[in-house]
Amino acid sequence: MNEQETNDPARSPLGDPPPTPDEAVVIRHEEDVTGTSLRWRGIGHVRARKRVETLRVDEVLSRNVEDATFDRVPAEEDDAGGICTLDDGTISIPVYEERLVVTKQIVLKERILIRKKLETISERVRDELRREQVEIDADDSHIAG
């Protein structure tokens, strides 16, 4: 058997059928001096097989299954809003929502300026005007002069 045949994984060095996927063939080589040349020669091999056994089980076994439940409760006035663990192991997670807050605020928008303007115009008037006059007669004797 030549070197190529010994290294062929499809053939076993002992003529056995090729190994299955659950088997492996390992060939041991050693050098031999013949004259002035070296040559490899197979001096042994090992075949390893893997077997899988199947064991049927028909038993009633208990196992634990965890489930989660939740309740929605309103937040308290002084709630800080963080995630916390309660004394009984319950985890409390805050849920937020956005609320629109509308307020009124008085702000200066503009100013209105009122100016007085004096204009002289000419106009014809036809009417009677009345005027009262007061006359005073004075006694000059009491006035020191």
Side-chain angles (χ1 to χ4, degrees), residues 9 12 18 21 32 51 57 72 79 101 106 110-111 119 133 144:
S12 167
D32 185 15
R51 288 198 165 82
V57 175
R72 293 178 178 261
D79 194 333
V101 177
I106 297 175
E110 62 183 331
R111 288 191 172 272
E119 185 178 346
Q133 295 206 5

Side-chain angles (χ1 to χ4, degrees), residues 131-138:
R131 184 178 286 174
E132 294 181 345
Q133 295 206 5
V134 177
E135 289 183 6
I136 300 175
D137 290 334

